[in-house]
Amino acid sequence: MTRASSPLQKWSTQLYADNARFVSNLADAAVGLLQPRAGERILDIGCGDGYLTEQLAAGGAHLVGFDYSPELAGAARARGLEVHVGNAEEMDFDNEFDAVFSNAALHWMLRADALVAGVERALKPGGRFVGEFAGARNAHHIRREVHDALAKRGIDPAEVDPWYLPTAQAYREVLERGGLRVSSIELFDRPVVIDYPIGGWIRTFGSPYLTVLKNDDTRIEFLDEVTRNLVPHLLGADGRWTVDYTRLRFRADKP
């Protein structure tokens, strides 16, 4: 991929707080792999509104947030956190972090080699890069129906889809090309039940799919069509939706 982080994805702080909090709440295993220690300096890539970053800092480590969205970064700063705004594929930190962490964000960064090169530069020798993000086949049913609906409207889904979704082997190769040594990497299914309509999930996490449509009426029609087509696959008997997530969790170290 040569495209940079998707400029079409727009984040609403309210939608993020209302619909995305489960993302941070499911980060325990990734945080356990990170094992943050008091006094360490840790960079959190894709920190969002800082909810998880703040929890990591409570243990005594010095956290530095980094996010593409000025709106979410502003919410994180309101928590008293140090946060940089920018494209993580173009970071210029140099040998200053004991660890780099990222939860549920790296799938937004299509230039994976550039991202890892920046992480390697940012780490001190012996530092670690730990993360968890969406992997191959993530939201398979949703993406299939969304892509079909876009194609019906004359829009090329490949030009709109915002996500980088590698297999474990493909990402291992990216990390190793970037000069890091992989000690742990796994791809696994993680279905997540949400307490709001699937259209709300698409509005929150897939705004590129909607920004390319003409107007609000077209977007409502689009979401209604996608929702109907997803009913047999993702809507439970209890009326709740399940998102067919997969996750890729890893740790890699800088020699």
Side-chain angles (χ1 to χ4, degrees):
M1 293 272 190
T2 55
R3 275 193 294 150
S5 296
S6 176
L8 295 175
Q9 173 65 18
K10 305 301 180 186
W11 292 104
S12 158
T13 53
Q14 190 60 56
L15 279 178
Y16 193 88
D18 290 345
N19 295 346
R21 187 59 65 223
F22 69 89
V23 172
S24 297
N25 293 339
L26 292 172
D28 286 354
V31 173
L33 196 59
L34 175 67
Q35 295 184 326
R37 295 183 285 271
E40 287 189 315
R41 186 171 169 84
I42 299 175
L43 177 67
D44 184 4
I45 295 177
C47 66
D49 66 3
Y51 177 80
L52 180 58
T53 318
E54 186 177 42
Q55 294 180 47
L56 294 174
H62 178 74
L63 269 291
V64 176
F66 197 101
D67 205 273
Y68 191 69
S69 165
E71 295 80 12
L72 293 183
R77 286 172 177 154
R79 299 177 185 273
L81 297 167
E82 176 187 349
V83 182
H84 297 256
V85 176
N87 185 343
E89 299 155 336
E90 301 170 356
M91 296 186 302
D92 58 1
F93 299 109
D94 185 18
N95 193 40
E96 59 183 279
F97 293 100
D98 300 288
V100 175
F101 179 69
S102 184
N103 180 61
L106 298 179
H107 45 268
W108 297 106
M109 302 165 203
L110 303 178
R111 295 186 296 177
D113 284 289
L115 181 282
V116 171
V119 168
E120 193 276 339
R121 286 194 301 272
L123 285 169
K124 300 175 184 177
R128 61 204 185 277
F129 180 27
V130 175
E132 183 176 307
F133 66 106
R137 292 183 59 82
N138 184 71
H140 168 72
H141 290 294
I142 297 172
R143 293 175 67 240
R144 182 191 63 214
E145 298 301 339
V146 164
H147 285 204
D148 287 351
L150 288 174
K152 282 173 57 178
R153 290 160 174 79
I155 299 167
D156 181 0
E159 291 298 314
V160 179
D161 196 290
W163 295 318
Y164 164 66
L165 304 173
T167 64
Q169 181 57 34
Y171 201 62
R172 176 186 288 272
E173 292 171 3
V174 170
L175 293 166
E176 291 176 346
R177 279 198 303 271
L180 302 178
R181 295 176 180 169
V182 178
S183 58
S184 173
I185 189 165
E186 61 174 328
L187 180 69
F188 56 95
D189 293 332
R190 181 193 273 160
V192 174
V193 177
I194 57 176
D195 292 318
Y196 51 89
I198 200 70
W201 186 93
I202 295 170
R203 286 185 182 278
T204 304
F205 297 104
S207 69
Y209 299 137
L210 303 178
T211 55
V212 295
L213 299 174
K214 293 179 182 179
N215 52 51
D216 285 342
D217 288 342
T218 305
R219 294 180 188 111
I220 291 170
E221 177 192 30
F222 174 86
L223 287 173
D224 286 346
E225 176 184 332
V226 170
T227 296
R228 287 194 304 272
N229 292 338
L230 287 172
V231 166
H233 306 286
L234 300 180
L235 184 63
D238 61 356
R240 301 169 77 197
W241 291 91
T242 296
V243 181
D244 50 333
Y245 278 116
T246 65
R247 280 302 187 251
L248 198 160
R249 185 185 304 136
F250 67 92
R251 170 175 170 159
D253 299 271
K254 179 174 178 175

